[in-house]
Amino acid sequence: MINKSFFINSKKNRTTPLRLVLVIPFILQIVGAVSLVGYLSFRSGQIAIDTVASQLRSEIANRIQDNLENFAETPYLIAQITQADIKQGKLDLDDLPTVEKHLWHQLHLSKYLTFNSYGNEKGEYIGANRDYRNNLLKIGISNPSNNNINHNYETDSQGNRTETYEINTEFDPRTRVWYRTAKSIGKASWYAIYKYVAYDSLGIGISVPIFRENGRLQGVIAVDLALIQISNFLSNLVIGRTGEAFIVERDGNLVAISNGEEPYILHENKQVSRLAAIDSKDPLIQATARHLNDKFDRFATIENAQESTFFLNGEKQFIKILPFQDGNGLDWTIVVIIPEADFMEQINANTRTTILLCLLTLGIATGLGIITSNLIAAPIQRLGQASSQIARGNLSQEVKANGIAELETVTNAFNQMVGQLKNSFATLENRVQERTAELSIAKEKAEVANQAKSTFIANMSHELRTPLNAILGFAQLMLRSQKLPAEQQENINIINRSGEYLLGLINNVLDISKLEAGKTTLNLQNFDLYRLLDEIEDIFALRAENQQIELLFERDENLPQYIRTDRTKLSQVLINLLGNAIKFTTEGGVSVRISHQVLSVAQQPTTLKIEVEDTGSGIDEAELDRLFEAFAQTQSGKQAQEGTGLGLPISRQFVRLMGGDITVSSQVGQGTVFAFEIRVEQVQNIDIETKQPKARVLALAPNQPRYRLLIVDDKAINRRLLVKLLQPLGFELQEASNGKEAIAIWDSWRPHLIWLDMRMPVMDGHETVKYIKGTTKGQATAVIALTASVLEEEKAIVLEAGCDAFVRKPFRESTIFEVMATHLGIEYIYSQETAIAPKPEILNLTPESFQGLSRDWLARLSQAAQILDDEEILLLVAEITDTHGSLAATLKSFVNQFRCDEIANAIEPLLE
């Protein structure tokens, strides 16, 4: 049969038809050219808009400025004229009727004037005023003789009073802001904007103090303007199509506005307050004010003419800001806003035209491209159809040339390829069948080899660990005896240590076998990294001291305390590396550096880096390549005549399982550095299950049931070991050598718990537990598996069969007692003298850690820490051990780690 994979893959790789290849470049060229022209046209239009908008904004702002200059100059000139007439003697202020006519006639000098007033120190007041709504002139009079009641009179064409217009409440000019402003400043000045009582407008005026020849104040002349006239001027300006303009004081309050909105707020109690530009009801005015506040902080900071832009509802707005000052205290800001949309109508029209032209050109180009591509693609399409037939397995294809020279060359090459493929497929199919048969045989061999390794591990585990269980178990039983002489106790200790050493060697061999067979898995758990490091430091501290070398653990300042990884494998790697480092170091010391790097804040994965450096004999460079080979040893290792050469290979495989690798650097005679990194996860301390080690069990606690225990094992020595361990405590015991015997005893005797070996003749432990747990009464019996297997999958199989727990041989007596306590609730009496006290919690040092301690004690501790006096620090720590136990433990830890400087730094803020 012909293999079609070559043609199928060729078909999958075809992605672009020839017609598209021929047509698309034409289309892209035209679209690119038209788009470029359209873009340049659009950009030119935008630049022109920016220029025109800038010119228009400046022109409008300058017109407003000119109008304001005239507006502000008028009252000042009127006041100067009156002041000049007084100085020249043309106007006598004591002749009030003449002053009245003078003020009335001056109102005709400018349509902007609304008030022309005079008040003196006697409280007399004369004011000519204009109603700007109908341009009628009136006279207001008040004096102390009529209790300063203000009388307003209509006037004729000569300024004579005709009839009373209205009578207002008391009006004393000396209390008015225009009078007080001129009196306090002593020269011509503007006074604050106010609201006209009778008219719907804001007003502002300039007041001039008049002094007598002796320098004493005689009175004040005030000339007022209605600000609505500025708003009217702004309203009549053509500011684009929808543009706006407004004038504000430096505090942001409106003076005038072009949209007809009142620049003040009239409350229900007829009180008046100024309207800030940022509070305008006009969205454009309000948005502009907010933009200027954000950009310049506030209006008061704008010193020079400015241009700016911002966006409102997605549309660009052009702004012109022009400060206005008249030199007499008037300090306003002119703002002109013109939306870009006012200029964009023609630009948008041009853009639409460009798009239509582009589409039209695109259509024409597409049509021409299709016609051209059909002339070229038709013969090539015939080649494609023939290729499809070949892909389906039909190799009897021949394509005829069409007269085009280039295509004839392709056609002839295609026909030659078809002939070669016919010959190649026949050969290829035979080779594939041969290779498939070879791979099948290799796979079967690999499976057989893997199964052989698994069988080897299981058999070796059982055959080696079972006798060790008896050796170590009976050694533990003999160590419990208080009657053995000291010499025999030492002999038993030697046996126990040798057994533990042998167990370690066996475990190393089995670990290598498991690793090679792919049976080793990670057992992830949450644990306290600080405690693990402390335990390992304790293990090797005595060895280092005996060899008179220094052992130093250096931890990263922010090293996480609680992590998640395989605690057992990490501990074994550290023990292997430290054991080698101390073994080959005779001078100097060994240092362990632990650091970390957080990779992601969200999930908090961390790379934990550990370096073990020694000052030992070092390793020759030629031996580094064989360092991690199983059973291989360096020259220094051979000289030491210790070890099996399995520690480093196992350590590397464990580190790789935990997501890292081990590296080594060494110089002969100077020392070696082993370093590895693993991936761990930070966890909270609430996730850590901590168990305090218990003391040795002496007896059962009183007032408990008499428990019945069945021991099932085909090896009499193993049964004897458990009997020797459990019988002295008062348990009722029976034995069985296989599963059938165990079932018979269980059925009649009803034990509370069964210790069940899993590998036995006649009936093994798996069948036995399935039978017992398959009955109703069997659910009340706890079955604990005893096995010498080291495979992790064995544990899962045993628990799935029905066992309640899993204990490996060789076991420790404490494990046996803990399992029974867990599943039967048994309580024990422990030996108090061997109980292990928990380690005190090590705190971080902060100034708050020293609360409640006297200043004198802190000063002495600080001084001792600064001069690195360890003995003095420890004497001071002894004084607070009873009252501040955690702090005392922390200080001792810092002294032992040579961190006296951190103690001084933590105390320093308390002594300043």
Side-chain angles (χ1 to χ4, degrees):
M1 182 177 178
I2 297 174
N3 192 331
K4 303 179 182 178
S5 62
F6 173 79
F7 295 104
I8 293 173
N9 290 334
S10 299
K11 184 176 181 181
K12 289 182 179 178
N13 291 333
R14 292 188 303 165
T15 56
T16 307
L18 179 61
R19 285 187 176 87
L20 293 181
V21 173
L22 296 174
V23 173
I24 286 177
F26 291 104
I27 297 175
L28 292 178
Q29 290 176 17
I30 294 172
V31 171
V34 175
S35 299
L36 180 60
V37 172
Y39 172 75
L40 294 176
S41 175
F42 179 77
R43 285 295 301 153
S44 299
Q46 282 194 323
I47 294 172
I49 285 175
D50 290 344
T51 303
V52 172
S54 177
Q55 294 174 351
L56 181 58
R57 284 178 286 172
S58 298
E59 181 182 349
I60 293 173
N62 290 333
R63 288 182 60 187
I64 296 173
Q65 184 181 38
D66 292 341
N67 182 269
L68 286 181
E69 288 176 352
N70 293 331
F71 183 83
E73 186 178 14
T74 299
Y76 187 70
L77 291 175
I78 296 299
Q80 281 187 322
I81 292 171
T82 302
Q83 194 175 22
D85 288 345
I86 295 170
K87 288 182 178 180
Q88 296 171 7
K90 295 179 181 180
L91 181 64
D92 184 3
L93 292 179
D94 292 328
D95 185 0
L96 294 182
T98 303
V99 173
E100 177 181 333
K101 286 294 185 70
H102 176 85
L103 297 176
W104 185 86
H105 282 290
Q106 280 188 324
L107 281 183
H108 292 80
L109 297 178
S110 174
K111 64 179 180 179
Y112 294 139
L113 299 180
T114 54
F115 277 90
N116 194 15
S117 309
Y118 168 70
N120 58 29
E121 285 291 276
K122 298 177 183 179
E124 297 171 330
Y125 168 76
I126 299 174
N129 62 85
R130 171 188 283 116
D131 186 343
Y132 61 83
R133 295 172 297 185
N134 51 27
N135 205 32
L136 294 179
L137 303 184
K138 302 180 180 64
I139 294 292
I141 302 292
S142 71
N143 53 64
S145 63
N146 63 0
N147 297 321
N148 285 110
I149 300 301
N150 188 29
H151 291 72
N152 283 304
Y153 302 92
E154 294 182 354
T155 61
D156 57 18
S157 59
Q158 301 300 317
N160 299 314
R161 303 178 200 170
T162 57
E163 61 181 70
T164 302
Y165 177 72
E166 63 181 351
I167 299 175
N168 295 328
T169 57
E170 180 182 351
F171 184 90
D172 188 343
R174 295 168 296 184
T175 64
R176 299 296 171 167
V177 64
W178 53 270
Y179 194 97
R180 289 186 283 109
T181 300
K183 184 176 180 180
S184 62
I185 296 178
K187 64 178 183 177
S189 61
W190 292 94
Y191 45 88
I193 294 175
Y194 63 92
K195 173 67 171 65
Y196 278 122
V197 176
Y199 309 135
D200 295 331
S201 174
L202 296 177
I204 190 172
I206 191 167
S207 58
V208 180
I210 306 297
F211 296 95
R212 298 182 185 274
E213 293 181 358
N214 59 6
R216 295 186 63 184
L217 179 67
Q218 182 177 1
V220 175
I221 295 173
V223 184
D224 291 37
L225 303 166
L227 294 179
I228 194 173
Q229 297 178 79
I230 303 179
S231 294
N232 292 338
F233 171 78
L234 297 180
S235 300
N236 293 328
L237 282 175
V238 179
I239 310 173
R241 184 166 55 86
T242 59
E244 300 284 0
F246 63 92
I247 303 171
V248 293
E249 293 187 287
R250 290 296 185 162
D251 60 1
N253 288 330
L254 285 167
V255 175
I257 191 168
S258 64
N259 64 358
E261 183 180 5
E262 299 291 354
Y264 60 87
I265 301 173
L266 183 62
H267 301 283
E268 293 181 357
N269 59 0
K270 296 185 178 182
Q271 294 294 318
V272 175
S273 61
R274 298 289 300 282
L275 176 66
I278 202 170
D279 296 326
S280 172
K281 296 178 181 178
D282 189 319
L284 182 58
I285 302 294
Q286 184 182 108
T288 302
R290 291 186 184 277
H291 168 72
L292 295 178
N293 275 342
D294 293 340
K295 183 173 182 179
F296 299 103
D297 188 21
R298 57 185 185 277
F299 287 97
T301 62
I302 303 174
E303 299 293 340
N304 303 309
Q306 304 275 350
E307 288 190 352
S308 182
T309 59
F310 75 100
F311 287 87
L312 177 62
N313 298 327
E315 294 185 359
K316 191 176 183 180
Q317 312 292 326
F318 297 99
I319 306 174
K320 176 72 175 184
I321 309 106
L322 184 63
F324 173 76
Q325 298 168 335
D326 72 332
N328 293 311
L330 206 60
D331 192 5
W332 294 345
T333 302
I334 302 168
V335 182
V336 178
I337 318 106
I338 305 177
E340 185 186 42
D342 290 0
F343 305 94
M344 286 298 293
E345 292 182 1
Q346 188 60 43
I347 297 294
N348 292 334
N350 292 338
T351 302
R352 289 191 293 271
T353 302
T354 302
I355 293 173
L356 290 175
L357 290 174
C358 182
L359 293 175
L360 178 61
T361 306
L362 179 62
I364 295 172
T366 303
L368 293 175
I370 292 173
I371 295 171
T372 303
S373 66
N374 284 335
L375 295 176
I376 299 174
I380 297 177
Q381 186 176 13
R382 290 195 294 271
L383 285 173
Q385 291 172 351
S387 299
S388 298
Q389 291 297 322
I390 292 174
R392 295 187 181 95
N394 184 7
L395 298 181
S396 301
Q397 300 293 320
E398 185 175 357
V399 181
K400 295 183 179 181
N402 66 344
I404 299 176
E406 289 80 3
L407 291 178
E408 281 188 2
T409 302
V410 174
T411 302
N412 293 333
F414 178 82
N415 291 332
Q416 292 175 6
M417 179 192 71
V418 173
Q420 292 175 356
L421 283 175
K422 289 180 181 179
N423 297 328
S424 299
F425 269 116
T427 304
L428 181 61
E429 186 172 354
N430 292 332
R431 291 181 62 186
V432 169
Q433 291 177 352
E434 293 174 359
R435 184 59 178 163
T436 301
E438 292 174 0
L439 291 175
S440 177
I441 294 172
K443 180 181 178 182
E444 291 177 0
K445 289 181 178 179
E447 291 177 351
V448 170
N450 196 38
Q451 182 61 37
K453 284 185 178 181
S454 298
T455 304
F456 167 77
I457 294 171
N459 291 335
M460 287 299 294
S461 174
H462 186 270
E463 296 302 325
L464 294 175
R465 295 168 70 93
T466 297
L468 266 179
N469 182 55
I471 294 172
L472 293 175
F474 279 103
Q476 291 179 70
L477 284 175
M478 295 177 72
L479 286 173
R480 292 174 62 89
S481 175
Q482 303 297 324
K483 299 178 181 179
L484 287 177
E487 181 179 357
Q488 297 300 328
Q489 287 274 2
E490 179 61 25
N491 293 338
I492 297 301
N493 276 323
I494 293 173
I495 294 173
N496 191 56
R497 286 196 299 270
S498 299
E500 292 285 354
Y501 179 73
L502 180 58
L503 178 61
L505 295 179
I506 293 171
N507 285 337
N508 284 342
V509 174
L510 294 176
D511 282 340
I512 284 291
S513 300
K514 286 199 301 180
L515 288 168
E516 292 177 350
K519 298 294 184 179
T520 301
T521 58
L522 282 179
N523 179 25
L524 299 179
Q525 61 186 118
N526 302 342
F527 64 91
D528 188 335
L529 176 61
Y530 289 10
R531 176 170 293 177
L532 173 64
L533 295 175
D534 290 340
E535 291 173 356
I536 293 176
E537 186 175 4
D538 292 342
I539 290 172
F540 290 97
L542 184 58
R543 287 180 57 183
E545 184 178 350
N546 291 338
Q547 292 184 214
Q548 296 183 351
I549 61 174
E550 183 179 9
L551 177 61
L552 180 62
F553 274 65
E554 300 176 5
R555 303 180 187 178
D556 206 2
E557 182 178 357
N558 297 319
L559 186 70
Q561 182 173 0
Y562 303 103
I563 62 173
R564 179 175 180 81
T565 188
D566 192 321
R567 186 186 193 279
T568 302
K569 290 182 175 58
L570 176 59
S571 175
Q572 187 169 343
V573 171
L574 286 172
I575 290 173
N576 287 343
L577 295 181
L578 262 176
N580 285 342
I582 291 178
K583 179 168 62 177
F584 297 116
T585 302
T586 57
E587 293 181 352
V590 176
S591 62
V592 182
R593 294 183 291 274
I594 308 99
S595 60
H596 80 296
Q597 179 183 1
V598 177
L599 302 179
S600 170
V601 176
Q603 299 178 352
Q604 292 187 325
T606 298
T607 294
L608 190 68
K609 182 177 182 180
I610 300 179
E611 297 175 287
V612 179
E613 181 176 5
D614 64 64
T615 58
S617 56
I619 304 170
D620 188 87
E621 185 176 356
E623 296 181 310
L624 291 178
D625 294 337
R626 300 182 60 249
L627 199 59
F628 295 100
E629 294 180 7
F631 302 105
Q633 286 186 313
T634 63
Q635 187 63 33
S636 57
K638 294 176 181 178
Q639 293 173 357
Q641 298 183 353
E642 291 184 21
T644 61
L646 295 177
L648 288 178
I650 292 173
S651 296
R652 166 170 274 187
Q653 293 299 325
F654 283 175
V655 170
R656 286 177 173 175
L657 275 175
M658 291 185 284
D661 203 354
I662 293 182
T663 60
V664 58
S665 60
S666 181
Q667 285 187 318
V668 175
Q670 295 187 15
T672 306
V673 179
F674 283 90
F676 66 90
E677 295 182 355
I678 60 172
R679 189 72 60 86
V680 302
E681 181 182 350
Q682 296 186 45
V683 296
Q684 300 297 322
N685 57 349
I686 57 174
D687 299 328
I688 305 299
E689 294 184 3
T690 57
K691 293 183 178 180
Q692 295 295 335
K694 293 184 178 179
R696 173 173 292 179
V697 173
L698 295 181
L700 294 177
N703 301 321
Q704 293 190 89
R706 187 168 177 80
Y707 293 102
R708 297 184 297 277
L709 308 181
L710 174 59
I711 302 170
V712 186
D713 198 310
D714 61 320
K715 304 293 184 183
I717 191 171
N718 289 335
R719 299 197 304 272
R720 187 62 177 166
L721 172 60
L722 283 174
V723 170
K724 287 282 189 180
L725 177 64
L726 300 174
Q727 198 171 48
L729 273 69
F731 292 107
E732 292 186 23
L733 304 175
Q734 286 203 34
E735 303 177 41
S737 60
N738 59 60
K740 282 191 175 182
E741 293 179 10
I743 291 174
I745 296 173
W746 163 78
D747 189 40
S748 59
W749 192 47
R750 301 287 182 88
H752 296 92
L753 183 143
I754 300 175
W755 290 104
L756 181 64
D757 184 28
M758 302 310 292
R759 293 185 60 167
M760 296 181 297
V762 183
M763 179 183 284
D764 64 14
H766 296 85
E767 295 180 17
T768 304
V769 71
K770 286 181 180 179
Y771 179 87
I772 293 174
K773 289 296 184 177
T775 64
T776 303
K777 65 179 181 179
Q779 299 299 320
T781 304
V783 180
I784 311 300
L786 283 171
T787 177
S789 174
V790 295
L791 299 178
E792 288 295 329
E793 57 265 31
E794 177 69 17
K795 180 178 181 180
I797 294 172
V798 166
L799 296 178
E800 185 178 356
C803 291
D804 297 286
F806 178 94
V807 175
R808 282 194 175 95
K809 301 176 184 177
F811 50 74
R812 287 178 172 80
E813 61 178 53
S814 59
T815 304
I816 299 296
F817 293 132
E818 287 176 7
V819 170
M820 291 194 299
T822 300
H823 292 277
L824 297 181
I826 299 174
E827 297 180 359
Y828 303 107
I829 297 175
Y830 298 93
S831 60
Q832 299 299 321
E833 62 273 9
T834 59
I836 301 175
K839 292 188 176 182
E841 181 183 4
I842 304 301
L843 305 174
N844 290 325
L845 278 183
T846 63
E848 290 73 16
S849 304
F850 296 93
Q851 288 184 354
L853 296 171
S854 68
R855 183 179 181 84
D856 176 65
W857 186 89
L858 292 174
R860 286 187 290 152
L861 180 61
S862 175
Q863 182 179 3
Q866 290 174 9
I867 63 176
L868 306 179
D869 189 345
D870 294 354
E871 294 183 2
E872 179 64 19
I873 295 175
L874 294 176
L875 289 175
L876 291 169
V877 169
E879 297 177 9
I880 64 166
T881 300
D882 294 337
T883 57
H884 297 76
S886 296
L887 176 59
T890 300
L891 291 173
K892 289 179 182 178
S893 174
F894 273 55
V895 171
N896 292 334
Q897 298 176 27
F898 308 104
R899 296 163 66 185
C900 295
D901 57 327
E902 297 185 32
I903 299 176
N905 292 338
I907 299 173
E908 183 178 357
L910 301 175
L911 300 177
E912 291 179 352

